[in-house]
């Protein structure tokens, strides 16, 4: 393992020879856009809550008004923010390698706003409304504290995957297939604590891929990575793309 912020030539060579690159991103890739990570303490009104405690079906059943206020606060915050050079570099990388699969734990739509296509939303999307009863995609009335399903009258909930809920089957299957097939797996801006997302790097390694971690705070998995770049993704990824594009 090499731990530094410069991009090892061997890594660029591995990317240049790669048939298939798979990238998993977490909240850290949006940190430079001003979107707080899950590790970051929540601000203001939300400082008294742990994100993990709010992002659960039970919290929604207990107080749907509070949970909708939290998600609308996050929708506004993310809408105000803009993709950063890390997001754009990932979008560019897709044109520099034969095949790129982008899996994100983020629900903030930033990769899509930066031009990434076919993003696998492993934990759903903040801007979707779904029926709490059957999970069907709906369009909620934003003027009501808790929007209702126009089909069955049940509460609507944000289209994200809460703790204790299953990952959408298609997203899970496509992500596992890509991790098992790729030649290079990049784990970017994630603490690698939330499963099953955190298991994708192991799957890639077990299938012979080179595994790379990009995180200013190397995680407990860093030592089992081929490359650990202790850097901000908004710095390391553009550097990597520039070197690859030469
Ligand atoms: C499930 C959507 C079962 C909602 C989210 C195995 C072991 C232990 C526990 C479990 C296990 N398997 C399952 C569990 C339980 C649980 C889990 O993993 N718990 C954890 C806390 C231990 N998993 C689940 O509940 C999953 N579901 O298992 O269902 C099941 C199966 C079948 C049928 C029924 C049920 C569902 C998990 C999904 C939860 N939803 N988000 C919302 O957003 O509101 S998770 C949410 O938190 C995010 O999506 C993300 O995944 C996670 C936060 O992690 P990160 O993205 O990594 O962010 P974090 O803040 O932690 O770290 C940021 C990192 O960035 C840091 O390392 C920092 O250093 C770095 N950084 C900072 N700045 C930068 C940077 N990096 C680069 N550049 C920078 N500039």
């Amino acid at each position: 393992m090499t731990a530094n912020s410069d991009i090892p030539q061997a890594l660029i060579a591995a990317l240049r020879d790669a048939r298939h690159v798979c990238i998993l991103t977490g909240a850290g890739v949006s940190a430079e856009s001003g979107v707080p990570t899950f590790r970051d303490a929540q601000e203001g009104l939300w400082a008294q809550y742990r994100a993990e405690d709010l992002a659960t079906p039970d919290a929604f059943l207990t107080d749907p008004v509070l949970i909708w206020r939290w998600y609308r606060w996050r929708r506004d915050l993310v809408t105000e923010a803009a993709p950063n050079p890390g997001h754009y570099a990932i979008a560019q990388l897709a044109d520099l390698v034969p095949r790129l699969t982008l899996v994100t734990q983020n629900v903030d739509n930033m990769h899509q706003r930066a031009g990434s296509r076919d993003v696998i939303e492993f934990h759903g999307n903040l801007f979707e409304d779904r029926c709490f009863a059957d999970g069907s995609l709906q369009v909620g009335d934003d003027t009501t504290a808790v929007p209702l399903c126009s089909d069955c009258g049940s509460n609507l909930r944000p289209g994200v995957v809460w703790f204790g809920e299953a990952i959408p089957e298609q997203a899970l299957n496509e992500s596992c297939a890509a991790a098992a097939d790729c030649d290079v797996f990049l784990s970017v801006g994630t603490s690698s604590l939330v499963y099953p997302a955190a298991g994708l790097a192991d799957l890639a390694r077990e299938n012979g891929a080179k595994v790379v971690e990009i995180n200013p705070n190397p995680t407990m998995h860093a030592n089992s990575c081929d490359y650990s770049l202790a850097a901000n993704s908004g710095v390391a990824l553009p550097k990597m793309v520039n070197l690859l594009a030469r």
Side-chain angles (χ1 to χ4, degrees), residues 25-33 36-40 50-52 54-56 70-71 74 84 104-107 122-124 126 158 160-167 188-198 214-219 229 231-235:
T25 63
V29 82
S30 294
E32 291 155 90
S33 296
T37 70
F38 262 65
R39 286 320 99 193
D40 293 338
R50 283 182 345 127
E52 282 96 314
L54 295 173
T56 67
W70 184 51
Y71 277 96
R74 290 173 64 189
N84 67 63
T104 189
Q105 298 169 80
N106 302 342
V107 296
F122 206 74
H123 292 160
L126 187 58
V160 298
V161 179
W162 282 329
F163 288 96
E165 292 187 320
I167 305 301
V188 184
T190 182
S191 56
S192 301
L193 294 172
V194 174
Y195 284 79
I214 301 178
N215 192 322
N217 311 298
T219 71
L229 308 184
N232 288 345
S233 50
V235 174

Side-chain angles (χ1 to χ4, degrees), residues 66-179:
L66 176 78
I67 300 307
W68 263 110
R69 209 181 300 140
W70 184 51
Y71 277 96
R72 284 175 173 154
W73 172 74
R74 290 173 64 189
R75 284 179 176 180
D76 296 345
L77 188 154
V78 164
T79 303
E80 293 302 307
N84 67 63
H87 296 109
Y88 289 110
I90 289 173
Q92 285 172 291
L93 189 57
D95 302 325
L96 294 172
V97 298
R99 182 178 169 206
L100 184 137
T101 303
L102 175 57
V103 183
T104 189
Q105 298 169 80
N106 302 342
V107 296
D108 61 18
N109 232 26
M110 286 285 184
H111 285 300
Q112 294 90 331
R113 287 170 61 186
S116 284
R117 297 178 301 280
D118 310 323
V119 179
I120 299 178
E121 299 177 316
F122 206 74
H123 292 160
N125 189 301
L126 187 58
F127 295 93
E128 285 178 358
D129 298 334
R130 287 184 179 276
C131 173
F132 188 69
D134 67 5
S136 60
L137 203 51
Q138 301 284 340
V139 178
D141 171 357
D142 276 347
T143 63
T144 55
V146 177
L148 301 180
C149 177
S150 53
D151 295 346
C152 72
S154 300
N155 285 348
L156 295 185
R157 38 93 46 100
V160 298
V161 179
W162 282 329
F163 288 96
E165 292 187 320
I167 305 301
E169 197 167 347
Q170 186 183 350
L172 185 62
N173 295 342
E174 287 178 359
S175 303
C176 290

Side-chain angles (χ1 to χ4, degrees), residues 44-58:
L45 160 67
W46 305 107
Q48 61 194 291
Y49 305 99
R50 283 182 345 127
E52 282 96 314
D53 299 336
L54 295 173
T56 67
D58 295 346

